[in-house]
Amino acid sequence: MTEVYNLGLDAVTCHVWNEGQTGIALCPNNNEVHVYKQEASSWKLSEVLQEHDQRIMGIDWAPKTNRIVTCAADKNAYVWTQNAESKWTPSWVLLRTNRAATCVKWSPKEDKLAVGSGDRVISVCYFASENNWWVSKHIKKPLRSTVTAIDWHPDNQILAAGSTDYKTRVFSAYIRDVDRNLSDSSWGKNSTLGTLFVEFSNSQNGGGWVHDVAFSPDGSKICWVGHSSSICIADSLKGNFVTRLSTEYLPFLRCVWLDSNLIIAAGHDCMPMVYKVDESGKLHFLSKLDNTQKKEAAGLTAMRKFQSLDRQARTEIHDSALDSIHQNTITCIRKLSKTKFSTSSLDGLLVVWDTKTLDLMMNSLRIN
């Protein structure tokens, strides 16, 4: 069943859930974070976090340690923890960058976090207990433009990053002070921080900025979406073979893996799209998850429509409504389980989707 929540906000630029999905933290397109608690079947605003001076660009909630990290256009990032009175208190993250912080993500073990920025830098941060703040080490080369998206490999030591120089890259994020043992992966053997394992170009078929990047659950593949209305998959187990699929839709802004084969992508078309990776590595479009149909108002005839246009120079409200639940760009997707995920949009809505209701899993088995 699809659940739609209207929290009374004009727009939501990003959101995140806690471990038990009993709390939501979201940004209403400004410098604040609104934290909600679930009460019965509704959500109640419990606290507003105010430390940033400019619009918040990214947010993430560590499920095990129950810490929230935020980054903003004011070049800062903060880690928020709850005190004995359950109030959220911030700790400063020393990013050492001169441009806006654009994205942020906790590592799987929650002992590190990564922040992308407009300074052509990825800050890999860890907690320095002697100073009681978070310090950072930088990944710089060969980044040549704003970092728009990051994601952690399940082994806690590898980062994928997308940027506005039309490139998706996979780096080592090993920090000796935090990661005691080097891990091996199909992307390459971990070494010093910032080692570039592989670089993929998004310049084919007109190219475009990379808006989002995501590792598959097992870490062997990465998916990225770009402003060229394309979705791409790279498989490290097949020699970094890349599958590209140009779509007929408006550009996607976010992508997420539900399992090792199913991908959800969404963006300017205002509705989530489902794609499947088959055994040969090819991408297939499965379905639009939101395909509600517009309905004519009772008794509305063609004559009345033309009369409305002629006399009042306007259209009926039903003519301008989109064929979807979301009525504006989807800005954020969060995976909740193998069949459930949530989306937030510039229309202010928060929607929880359950793919079981659409029998998508059965459809995926029929695709060869």
Side-chain angles (χ1 to χ4, degrees), residues 117-314:
S117 76
D119 208 15
R120 299 180 294 177
V121 164
I122 300 173
S123 299
V124 182
C125 311
Y126 60 97
F127 188 69
S129 56
E130 63 274 13
N131 296 320
N132 195 33
W133 63 26
W134 292 74
V135 297
S136 64
K137 293 187 177 182
H138 285 172
I139 298 175
K140 295 183 178 180
K141 296 181 180 180
L143 297 169
R144 293 187 292 274
S145 191
T146 297
V147 178
T148 53
I150 51 178
D151 195 30
W152 285 91
H153 189 277
D155 74 357
N156 205 69
Q157 297 183 18
I158 295 176
L159 271 175
S163 58
T164 57
D165 60 5
Y166 297 12
K167 297 290 175 51
T168 297
R169 300 179 175 92
V170 180
F171 295 99
S172 170
Y174 173 80
I175 295 181
R176 184 168 51 184
D177 296 336
V178 179
D179 304 302
R180 297 183 179 180
N181 300 316
L182 285 168
S183 65
D184 291 333
S185 77
S186 54
W187 296 102
K189 185 175 181 179
N190 274 323
S191 54
T192 57
L193 177 73
T195 299
L196 179 65
F197 291 138
V198 64
E199 178 180 280
F200 303 102
S201 176
N202 199 47
S203 60
Q204 289 85 351
N205 301 324
W209 295 359
V210 177
H211 287 304
D212 200 12
V213 60
F215 275 108
S216 61
D218 64 358
S220 64
K221 306 181 189 71
I222 57 173
C223 172
W224 68 91
V225 291
H227 203 68
S228 57
S229 298
S230 62
I231 178 170
C232 305
I233 300 291
D235 192 337
S236 62
L237 299 178
K238 297 181 178 180
N240 297 328
F241 177 76
V242 177
T243 299
R244 304 178 190 273
L245 182 63
S246 296
T247 74
E248 60 183 358
Y249 305 112
L250 296 175
F252 298 126
L253 296 182
R254 295 290 177 262
C255 61
V256 67
W257 296 78
L258 286 189
D259 59 26
S260 59
N261 295 313
L262 287 180
I263 301 169
I264 305 294
H268 290 291
D269 256 311
C270 311
M271 61 180 68
M273 314 286 181
V274 185
Y275 292 86
K276 179 181 181 290
V277 184
D278 64 18
E279 293 181 357
S280 66
K282 292 183 179 180
L283 269 170
H284 301 274
F285 173 73
L286 286 186
S287 175
K288 297 179 182 179
L289 283 188
D290 185 20
N291 197 25
T292 56
Q293 298 296 320
K294 290 185 291 185
K295 297 180 180 180
E296 295 289 348
L300 187 62
T301 63
M303 179 63 71
R304 286 181 57 192
K305 286 186 180 181
F306 283 112
Q307 289 174 344
S308 175
L309 286 169
D310 183 48
R311 296 175 182 175
Q312 302 178 24
R314 66 177 179 85

